[in-house]
């Protein structure tokens, strides 16, 4: 851990002013990831700007029929909020699939979007890692890569994004509201996280002088047909090997709308709108789910230890869509897979 | 007896849950300085240069110690050999010289006024290395592994018998490196008293072992050093040997001439010690009727470049079941990692995992129920020495365990049992461990107020030693439990070995018994001397202590209160200390046994495994405390589930470095992974093992559990995964 300054942000404008004036500073809210990374000397902020007292803890209905979630709403409050639990159970379920109750109590909505990969090498400053130290190389590529990406990776980085909540937000087509020196802007969720490319040190398209103020959910909530299915190395408190957020709407027996997002397989929550488009109008059958799974993974590529994820993801997609179609979503408290 | 055998709650429970129980890192002193360790980033080579300039310039930094500037330590490697060090080799000497022996090795110690300053400054120490070629992979080094002597001799001609056997099974089973991961971090606080004397609060399973070690390393006289470990947040064997933080903390206190606290990080603890990665090769030859002809067991385990750590992995295979021919080989493969260590039931946990999976596979080959196979191979005599056991109720473990589990409803066919989308598997295994006892001394001070204080140097590593000591002493002194206080974990207390091997309960209880007997004699003498004593004509043999009184058992409980006898004899207190010496007796084998039955449910499509039920039936002599003993067995079962399904230290063999050195990425079972665990203590009276019939329960709970789970996974899926842990990817492969 390094020596750092600590300041508080008086309001959002002050937060933006402070971070614009000190690009090596970091915002801190729940600190559930940042503090760990600081202890390991991975994050070395010059200053922590405490935003935890900013008025960003509301969950409000929007005129468009959706929800606006303040960036500081704790993950547990979000998951258990009546409007979320009833109208966006996919989001609630994904949140409850992640971390532990204690971590969810501390972790904020905005912070969840910004959590960093759990790649072993990223966490260990004794090893090469392009994400932590650009240009130093990727030790995971030829090292321990069982947890790593099968989709969208680059020569520079094969890390995955660790969030469960973000997988659901991707499926729900949430929007991220941010504020910066030039004012506010809205980023579509699909554009928020990045693929690693040649710049794996950048996880998101958030600019260094911007702050997340809210996450907005559209009206469409898929409350009747959804499932969040997470496969991991123990039954709770482990990062996903593969996670699937599946959501369906039907017109009689045909699929009217579908959302499919994967976690644990790429540098960002993985969605493929062409696969969803191809599913529209199809029956909710195992065959169409299998076709979708095949299409989702057509470009998947495994490394020495993680090739199993391709078949696992294929099966998990079929299962999650089956659960969603049947209206029997995966329970996050009963660990038996439905 | 009022307390022995009852489910007595922990006498230290309140202190622990209210935070008044102080651990090694809690000790405080005015002027305390704090240490932070800098560790090597390479596994082998030498330190070319250490630049501590930037660290030293940080305000509040007191010093940076390394091999270049540390105070004097012993040169002789023998000085570093503690009571449980491997016989062969030279122990690791922290900050001794420029040699790097493993990644994560301590190479510098930053000392500062505050812990945060020390930790920050530690990040500023710049180290240059000369890197040497290294190897950390057992599978690469197995060809160069060398055989070490084993405690058990072969019998018959296993090779020929195997070749001639009607049914054969040969397979290799693999256990990766596992870490103990006790929840308490390793910590030492050294109080510097200015008079040349040191008081060291250390997280250790053996205060006297650490004391002797520090005296040798720093050339101290025993009176100049006191080591305390009153409470411990888990050890599992990781605290048997002195760990480097205590050496560095003493080094620092001597360098600064002030008190020092050093707490390791979770990540740093992975470089202390571990259960060695081991290949267990089993070769079984059987008759078609289901009896064993031959057992061959070869273990190949990693050890460090500087010490030969080996345990008895293989001997269990020739002991547990009747077979005329048996052969054992234990090989060590040198790798550039720290020396492995004992970890809960060392040797048995790994060796019996291999044996009990192999027996399951043999049962499949023989088309026999796995319990039936074990009963056909049952041995009432120890096979190594052809001697009887002091007691062996393993048959009863099978019977009671199977009955409670409902084993008779099992369909032998793999993949034959289902619960909706899940395959159901039932597996079982046997467990075995030793019933050991060590020389131990206990002091009892009985006050005229009817209060007794029991003291012994043993540590309570969280198993419940404080409680069983109080129970045994209360019963043998005839006092209420509340009238007994217990002092443990202090090197100045009467002599005890390290707390390990499941020997503590038997060892300390018999030392209490011996000392309590001296108290009884003293009280009898005092009682007899009282005017008009009702015990004037009594014989010592008939005297007992009960309900605070000295009584004649033969005479209707006639007696006098202890307090009266002491008052008349003008004694405020009676103090006795004696050592119970254990005589070697090779006429009988001494073991604990268990039968474990496990149920798993496996999602067929996704390979997700849930352990839904475990029944563990244990025969371990007299159970002193059914509550704490049950907790021990349950903890062992949870450890076994972790071994079967979760635990694995990942080593990047290109970097020679452990990569999941934290308890987010090193998986142990969480609540969701642990369901119903039923513990049965089979009645096993045994007056041969020792007078009180105590065998110990610390290790037996984990032995065999991983095999029972693995066998259940096979039964559920028809897929035999021999490499632990059994993860989704291996099951789908």
């Amino acid at each position: 851990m390094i020596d750092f300054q600590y300041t508080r942000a008086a309001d959002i404008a002050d937060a933006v002013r402070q971070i614009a004036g000190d690009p090596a500073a970091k915002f801190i809210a729940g600190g559930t990831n940042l503090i760990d990374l600081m202890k390991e000397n991975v994050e070395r902020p010059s200053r922590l700007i405490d935003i935890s007292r900013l008025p960003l803890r509301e969950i409000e209905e929007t005129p468009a029929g959706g929800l606006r979630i303040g960036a500081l709403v704790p993950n547990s409050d979000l998951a258990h909020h009546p409007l979320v639990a009833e109208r966006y159970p996919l989001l609630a379920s994904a949140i409850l699939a992640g971390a532990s109750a204690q971590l969810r109590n501390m972790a904020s909505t905005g912070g969840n979007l910004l959590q960093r990969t759990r790649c072993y090498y990223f966490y260990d400053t004794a090893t090469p890692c392009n994400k932590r130290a650009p240009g130093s190389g990727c030790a995971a590529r030829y090292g321990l890569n069982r947890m790593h990406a099968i989709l969208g990776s680059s020569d520079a980085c094969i890390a995955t994004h660790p969030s469960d909540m973000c997988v659901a937000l991707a499926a729900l087509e949430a929007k991220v509201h941010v504020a910066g020196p030039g004012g506010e802007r809205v980023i579509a969720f699909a554009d928020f996280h990045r693929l690693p490319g040649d710049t794996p040190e950048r996880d998101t398209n958030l600019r260094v002088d911007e702050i997340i103020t809210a996450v907005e959910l559209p009206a469409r909530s898929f409350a009747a047909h959804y499932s969040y299915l997470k496969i991991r190395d123990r039954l709770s408190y482990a990062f996903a090997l593969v996670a699937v957020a599946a959501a369906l709407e039907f017109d009689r027996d045909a699929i009217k709308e579908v959302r499919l997002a994967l976690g644990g397989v790429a540098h960002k929550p993985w969605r493929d709108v062409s696969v969803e488009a191809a599913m529209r109008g199809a029956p909710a059958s195992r065959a169409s789910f299998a076709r979708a799974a095949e299409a989702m993974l057509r470009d998947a590529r495994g490394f020495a230890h993680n090739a199993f994820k391709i078949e696992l993801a294929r099966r998990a997609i079929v299962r999650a869509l089956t659960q969603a179609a049947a209206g029997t979503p995966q329970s996050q408290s009963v660990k038996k897979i439905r | 007896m009022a307390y022995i055998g009852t489910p007595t709650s922990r006498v230290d429970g309140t202190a622990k849950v209210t935070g008044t129980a102080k651990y090694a890192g809690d000790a405080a002193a005015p002027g305390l300085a704090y240490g932070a360790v800098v560790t090597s980033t390479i596994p082998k080579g030498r330190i070319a240069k250490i630049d501590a300039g930037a660290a030293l310039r940080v305000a509040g930094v007191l010093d940076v110690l390394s091999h270049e500037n540390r105070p004097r330590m012993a040169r002789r490697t023998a000085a570093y050999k503690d009571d449980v060090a491997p016989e062969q080799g030279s122990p690791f000497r922290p900050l001794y010289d420029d040699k790097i022996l493993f990644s994560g090795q301590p190479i510098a110690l930053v000392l500062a006024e505050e812990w945060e300053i020390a930790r920050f400054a530690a990040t500023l120490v710049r180290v240059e290395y000369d890197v040497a070629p290294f190897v950390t992979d057992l599978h690469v080094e197995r060809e160069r592994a060398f055989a070490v002597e084993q405690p058990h001799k072969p019998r018959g001609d296993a090779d020929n018998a195997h070749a001639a056997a009607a049914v054969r099974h040969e397979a290799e089973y693999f256990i990766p490196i596992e870490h103990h991961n006790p929840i308490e971090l390793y910590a030492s606080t050294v109080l510097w008293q200015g008079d040349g004397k040191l008081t060291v609060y250390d997280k250790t399973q053996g205060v006297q072992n650490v004391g002797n070690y520090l005296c040798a390393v720093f050339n101290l006289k025993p009176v100049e050093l006191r080591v305390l470990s009153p409470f411990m947040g888990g050890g599992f064997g990781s605290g048997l040997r002195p760990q480097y933080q205590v050496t560095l903390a003493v080094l620092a206190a001597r360098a600064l001439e002030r008190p020092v606290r050093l707490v390791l990080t979770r990540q740093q603890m992975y470089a202390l010690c571990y259960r060695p990665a081991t290949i267990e090769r089993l070769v079984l030859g059987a008759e078609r009727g289901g009896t064993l002809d031959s057992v061959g067991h070869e273990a190949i385990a990693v050890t460090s470049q500087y010490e030969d750590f080996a345990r008895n992995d293989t001997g269990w295979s020739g002991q547990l079941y009747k077979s005329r021919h048996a052969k054992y080989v234990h090989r060590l493969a040198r790798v550039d990692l720290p020396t492995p260590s004992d970890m809960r039931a060392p040797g048995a946990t790994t060796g019996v995992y291999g044996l009990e999976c192999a027996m399951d596979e043999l049962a499949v080959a023989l088309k026999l129920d796995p319990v039936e196979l074990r009963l056909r191979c049952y041995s009432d005599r120890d096979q190594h020495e052809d001697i009887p056991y002091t007691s062996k109720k393993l048959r009863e473990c099978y019977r009671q365990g199977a009955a409670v589990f409902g084993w008779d409803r099992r369909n032998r066919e793999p993949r034959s049992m289902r619960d909706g989308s899940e395959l159901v598997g039932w597996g079982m295994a046997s467990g075995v461990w030793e019933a050991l006892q060590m020389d131990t001394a206990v002091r009892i001070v009985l006050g005229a107020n009817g209060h007794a204080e029991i003291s012994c140097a043993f540590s309570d590593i969280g198993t419940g030693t404080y409680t069983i000591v109080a129970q045994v002493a209360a019963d043998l002194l005839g006092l209420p439990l509340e009238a007994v206080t217990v002092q443990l974990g202090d090197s100045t207390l009467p002599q005890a070995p390290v707390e390990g091997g499941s020997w503590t309960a038997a060892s300390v209880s018999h030392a209490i018994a011996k000392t309590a007997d001296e108290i009884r004699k003293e009280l009898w003498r005092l009682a007899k001397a009282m005017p008009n004593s009702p015990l004037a004509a009594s014989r010592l043999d008939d005297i007992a202590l009960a309900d605070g009184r000295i009584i004649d058992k033969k005479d209707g409980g006639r007696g006098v209160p202890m307090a009266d006898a002491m008052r008349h004899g003008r004694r405020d207190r009676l103090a006795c200390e004696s050592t119970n010496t254990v005589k070697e007796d090779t006429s009988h084998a001494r073991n604990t046994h268990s039968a474990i039955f496990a149920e798993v449910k496996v999602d067929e499509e996704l390979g997700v495994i849930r352990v839904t039920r475990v029944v563990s039936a244990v025969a371990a002599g007299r159970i002193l405390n059914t509550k704490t003993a049950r907790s021990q067995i349950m903890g062992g079962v949870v450890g076994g589930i972790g071994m079967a399904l979760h635990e694995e230290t990942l080593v990047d063999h290109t970097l020679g470095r452990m990569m999941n050195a934290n308890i987010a990425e090193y998986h142990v079972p969480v609540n969701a992974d642990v369901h119903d665990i039923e513990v049965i203590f089979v009645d096993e009276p045994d007056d041969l093992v020792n007078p009180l019939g105590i065998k110990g329960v610390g290790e037996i709970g984990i032995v065999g559990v991983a095999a029972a789970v693995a066998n259940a996974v096979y039964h559920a899926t028809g897929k035999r995964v021999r490499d632990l842990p059994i993860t989704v990817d291996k099951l789908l492969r």
Side-chain angles (χ1 to χ4, degrees):
Chain A
M1 182 167 312
I2 66 162
D3 212 6
F4 59 89
Q5 301 297 307
Y6 170 87
T7 55
R8 274 183 200 159
D11 51 35
I12 293 167
D14 181 43
V16 169
R17 218 166 17 246
Q18 287 197 38
I19 201 136
D22 185 355
K26 288 260 177 195
F27 292 128
I28 184 160
T32 54
N33 190 208
L34 179 58
I35 298 292
D36 273 1
L37 291 164
M38 287 171 68
K39 285 182 182 172
E40 291 309 303
N41 217 26
V42 175
E43 295 278 12
R44 301 165 62 85
S46 57
R47 173 162 39 154
L48 291 184
I49 305 165
D50 186 350
I51 56 167
S52 63
R53 286 168 177 79
L54 298 186
L56 299 170
R57 290 180 177 261
E58 298 297 313
I59 297 175
E60 303 158 307
E61 294 190 76
T62 63
L67 284 186
R68 184 185 163 101
I69 303 156
L72 291 172
V73 173
N75 288 177
S76 47
D77 287 12
L78 181 56
H80 295 297
H81 193 280
L83 287 173
V84 176
E86 282 162 32
R87 281 170 46 189
Y88 300 93
L90 173 63
L91 176 59
S93 184
I95 292 170
L96 295 176
S100 65
Q102 292 85 347
L103 284 164
R104 294 193 296 265
N105 286 342
M106 286 301 291
S108 67
T109 301
N112 193 309
L113 269 56
L114 297 177
Q115 62 181 302
R116 310 213 64 190
T117 184
R118 301 300 304 200
C119 173
Y120 312 118
Y121 303 94
F122 176 69
Y123 257 80
D124 185 348
T125 57
T127 67
C129 170
N130 287 324
K131 182 181 280 298
R132 174 173 34 76
S136 62
C138 174
R141 201 174 175 79
Y142 301 102
L144 298 166
N145 49 37
R146 186 170 166 276
M147 296 298 292
H148 289 71
I150 51 172
L151 286 162
S153 68
S154 69
D155 288 347
C157 181
I158 62 170
T160 57
H161 194 258
S163 170
D164 290 297
M165 186 178 96
C166 289
V167 182
L169 291 175
L172 292 167
E173 295 193 343
K175 290 177 181 144
V176 185
H177 290 251
V178 308
E184 298 191 8
R185 64 178 181 127
V186 179
I187 307 171
F189 208 82
D191 300 328
F192 186 79
H193 294 102
R194 295 164 56 94
L195 288 179
D198 295 333
T199 54
E201 68 275 18
R202 288 192 64 194
D203 292 349
T204 71
N205 287 315
L206 191 72
R207 296 179 195 128
V208 290
D209 54 4
E210 285 181 322
I211 183 171
I212 301 172
T213 54
V215 171
E216 185 186 337
L217 297 177
R220 202 163 204 165
S221 69
F222 301 93
H225 293 284
Y226 74 94
S227 188
Y228 190 77
L229 178 61
K230 179 179 181 181
I231 312 297
R232 49 192 145 178
D233 278 328
R234 60 184 166 191
L235 295 173
S236 180
Y237 193 50
F239 293 93
L241 294 166
V242 167
V244 184
L248 292 162
E249 278 179 16
F250 290 99
D251 183 2
R252 292 170 186 272
D253 291 338
I255 295 168
K256 185 170 96 185
E257 177 63 341
V258 56
R259 300 287 171 74
L260 195 54
L262 304 182
V265 298
H267 200 257
K268 61 186 285 188
W270 191 262
R271 226 185 123 200
D272 186 335
V273 290
S274 70
V275 172
E276 293 171 9
M279 287 178 79
R280 286 190 202 109
S285 67
R286 198 174 167 89
S288 46
F289 296 160
R291 266 197 306 279
E294 203 59 47
M296 274 301 264
L297 295 157
R298 63 182 180 268
D299 296 327
R301 166 189 172 194
F303 297 91
H305 307 126
N306 72 344
F308 77 96
K309 281 189 176 188
I310 301 171
E311 178 60 23
L312 183 64
R314 206 174 271 136
R315 296 182 188 193
I317 290 168
V318 173
R319 192 65 164 274
L321 285 166
T322 306
Q323 292 174 334
T328 54
Q330 179 59 41
S331 165
Q332 301 305 341
S333 52
V334 177
K335 302 299 178 180
K336 176 177 177 169
I337 298 186
R338 284 183 165 169
Chain B
M1 302 218 210
Y3 301 107
I4 291 177
T6 63
T8 304
S9 292
R10 287 168 187 268
V11 296
D12 52 339
T14 307
K16 282 185 171 169
V17 299
T18 56
T20 54
K22 295 296 179 204
Y23 291 77
D26 294 330
L32 193 62
Y34 297 81
V37 179
V38 179
T39 60
S40 71
T41 57
I42 66 154
K44 191 173 197 170
R46 52 177 289 279
I47 302 165
K49 191 181 169 197
I50 289 193
D51 177 4
L56 286 165
R57 283 191 292 278
V58 175
V61 169
L62 300 164
D63 205 349
V64 179
L65 300 181
S66 70
H67 67 283
E68 292 174 348
N69 65 344
R70 60 164 172 78
R72 240 178 62 79
M73 301 162 71
R75 287 173 63 97
R76 296 175 307 118
T77 60
Y80 297 81
K81 266 208 168 176
D82 66 282
D83 291 352
V84 276
E87 275 177 37
Q88 298 296 319
S90 307
F92 171 63
R93 296 170 290 173
L95 301 196
Y96 187 79
D97 57 23
D98 63 353
K99 285 196 190 65
I100 300 294
L101 301 169
F102 52 88
S103 194
Q105 173 180 326
I107 51 177
L109 178 66
V110 178
L111 298 163
E113 296 287 355
E114 290 173 27
W115 181 72
E116 289 80 3
I117 295 173
R119 190 155 177 179
F120 165 53
T123 68
L124 302 178
V125 176
R126 294 285 161 262
V127 185
E128 290 170 26
Y129 303 96
D130 293 332
V131 185
F134 58 86
V135 64
T136 50
D137 191 348
L138 172 60
H139 299 295
V140 169
E141 277 307 288
R142 69 176 289 175
E143 297 311 322
R144 279 177 286 278
F146 58 95
V148 292
E149 203 173 319
Q150 279 289 277
H152 301 295
K153 300 287 163 262
R155 59 177 179 266
D157 182 350
D159 290 340
N160 274 327
H162 181 71
V167 180
R168 287 189 288 266
H169 169 68
E170 280 189 51
E172 283 188 6
Y173 303 85
F174 177 68
I175 303 99
I177 289 178
E178 297 167 355
H179 274 78
H180 311 72
N181 278 311
I183 209 69
E184 181 196 6
L185 300 174
Y186 269 84
S188 302
T189 307
V190 179
L191 306 187
W192 176 268
Q193 282 136 322
D195 52 3
K197 290 187 180 172
L198 295 177
T199 300
V200 179
Y201 285 86
D202 183 37
K203 172 172 177 160
T204 177
Q205 294 175 234
V207 283
Q208 292 177 332
N209 186 30
V210 169
N212 295 339
Y213 167 88
L214 292 174
C215 282
V217 170
F218 293 104
N219 195 24
L220 296 165
K221 296 187 188 74
V223 293
E224 295 173 323
L225 182 75
R226 181 180 181 194
V227 180
L228 297 113
S229 179
F231 296 101
M232 209 174 162
F236 312 107
S238 63
L240 289 170
R241 300 185 67 184
Q243 294 298 2
Y244 73 71
Q245 90 287 338
V246 74
T247 325
L248 296 190
V250 171
L251 200 64
R254 286 162 70 92
L256 299 179
E257 300 197 339
R258 58 186 275 195
V260 170
R261 178 186 296 163
L262 177 56
V263 182
L264 300 186
T265 65
R266 174 66 58 185
Q267 286 78 357
Q268 288 169 347
M269 278 167 56
Y270 281 74
L272 293 177
C273 58
Y274 55 89
R275 192 195 292 288
T278 310
I279 297 161
E280 306 282 352
R281 180 173 177 73
L282 270 295
V283 180
L284 304 179
E287 311 255 6
R288 291 207 189 279
T291 51
L292 278 174
D293 284 330
S294 65
V295 173
H297 190 159
E298 178 182 9
I300 311 166
V302 296
T303 193
S304 66
Q305 298 288 358
Y306 51 91
E307 283 176 311
D308 296 358
F309 176 89
R311 288 293 177 263
N312 171 28
D313 279 58
T314 59
W316 312 105
S317 295
Q319 182 186 24
L320 198 49
Y321 302 114
K322 193 184 275 183
S323 71
R324 279 202 299 143
H325 308 278
K327 183 183 170 184
Y328 322 102
V329 182
H330 192 102
R331 294 184 205 282
L332 292 179
R334 289 203 190 286
V335 293
D336 295 293
L337 292 172
T339 304
S341 76
D342 291 313
M343 178 167 157
R344 211 163 194 180
T349 301
T350 43
V352 173
Y353 161 68
L355 170 66
E356 287 300 281
C357 288
M359 286 294 280
D360 198 68
E361 297 202 53
L362 183 64
V364 171
L366 290 166
K367 298 185 169 56
L368 267 183
D369 178 90
V371 177
E372 180 58 30
L373 173 64
R374 284 158 176 89
L375 290 173
R376 290 187 192 184
C377 300
Y378 198 88
S379 170
D380 287 305
R381 291 172 73 79
D382 170 72
Q383 298 291 288
H384 293 308
E385 306 296 334
D386 194 23
I387 50 176
Y389 288 94
T390 60
S391 59
K392 180 180 175 180
K393 295 284 186 200
L394 176 57
R395 211 187 289 274
E396 201 52 24
C397 293
Y398 293 135
R399 198 185 65 75
Q400 292 187 28
V404 167
F405 189 84
W407 185 257
D408 60 347
R409 297 194 303 277
R410 180 180 188 261
N411 183 332
R412 217 173 60 216
E413 245 350 89
R415 303 176 60 82
S416 63
M417 294 167 64
R418 277 185 176 274
D419 176 11
S421 57
E422 289 180 315
L423 294 162
V424 177
W426 288 3
M428 60 81 57
S430 318
V432 57
W433 185 248
E434 293 172 272
L436 299 166
Q437 197 184 329
M438 309 292 270
D439 293 358
T440 301
V442 156
R443 182 187 304 134
I444 298 178
V445 178
L446 177 67
N449 60 358
H451 186 99
E453 188 172 279
I454 320 297
S455 51
C456 175
F458 260 126
S459 296
D460 182 340
I461 66 170
T463 49
T465 306
Y466 279 105
T467 308
I468 59 128
V469 166
Q471 287 175 273
V472 172
D475 274 345
L476 297 182
L477 294 170
L479 296 173
L481 193 73
E482 301 72 39
V484 176
T485 54
V486 182
Q487 284 199 329
L488 298 172
D490 179 341
S491 64
T492 62
L493 296 178
Q495 167 239 318
V498 294
E499 199 286 3
S502 297
W503 59 55
T504 304
S507 304
V508 74
S509 295
H510 289 89
I512 295 168
K514 187 168 181 197
T515 313
D517 201 50
E518 291 185 19
I519 294 279
R520 184 179 66 103
K521 275 180 215 158
E522 276 291 305
L523 286 170
W524 174 64
R525 274 188 218 112
L526 294 173
K528 266 172 72 119
M530 288 169 70
N532 305 319
S533 171
L535 299 175
S538 64
R539 295 176 50 235
L540 176 61
D541 286 353
D542 298 329
I543 292 297
L545 304 178
D547 302 324
R549 291 158 56 83
I550 308 149
I551 58 164
D552 186 337
K553 291 179 287 185
K554 282 238 172 105
D555 196 2
R558 169 198 290 261
V560 295
M562 295 177 198
D564 291 358
M566 288 176 71
R567 202 172 310 118
H568 278 100
R570 298 200 178 134
R571 302 285 294 272
D572 294 341
R573 57 202 282 277
L574 298 179
C576 290
E577 177 177 332
S578 58
T579 305
N580 187 53
T581 312
V582 183
K583 287 177 211 71
E584 186 167 338
D585 176 3
T586 54
S587 65
H588 288 77
R590 296 144 191 277
N591 290 90
T592 53
H593 293 91
S594 66
I596 306 103
F597 297 82
E599 175 183 86
V600 301
K601 295 189 176 177
V602 184
D603 186 274
E604 187 173 11
E605 191 178 32
L606 298 169
V608 174
I609 302 169
R610 301 187 301 130
V611 181
T612 44
R613 266 190 320 138
V614 176
V615 173
S616 175
V618 176
R622 183 199 291 268
I623 304 303
L624 289 170
N625 183 328
T626 48
K627 193 174 192 174
T628 53
R630 181 170 173 272
S631 293
Q632 282 295 298
I633 301 302
M634 285 176 65
V637 169
V638 173
I641 293 171
M643 179 179 172
L645 303 182
H646 309 121
E647 295 191 47
E648 177 175 21
T649 302
L650 299 168
V651 180
D652 182 314
H653 298 302
T654 310
L655 299 169
R657 193 163 166 89
M658 296 173 186
M659 294 308 304
N660 59 338
N662 64 74
I663 44 179
E665 265 76 27
Y666 180 103
H667 296 139
V668 297
V670 294
N671 284 339
D673 297 297
V674 180
H675 291 263
D676 297 342
I677 299 174
E678 183 149 352
V679 179
I680 300 164
F681 288 115
V682 167
D683 194 32
E684 192 179 58
D686 187 341
D687 54 10
L688 290 171
V689 67
N690 51 45
L692 292 168
I694 302 166
K695 287 185 166 181
V697 293
E699 335 270 336
I700 187 65
I702 193 173
V703 185
V705 177
V709 173
N711 294 340
V713 171
Y714 168 76
H715 181 240
T717 63
K719 176 136 186 127
R720 183 70 70 174
V721 178
R722 301 187 182 95
D723 292 0
L724 296 183
I726 304 172
T727 45
V728 169
D729 45 334
K730 294 176 190 169
L731 214 47
L732 294 186
R733 203 173 280 157

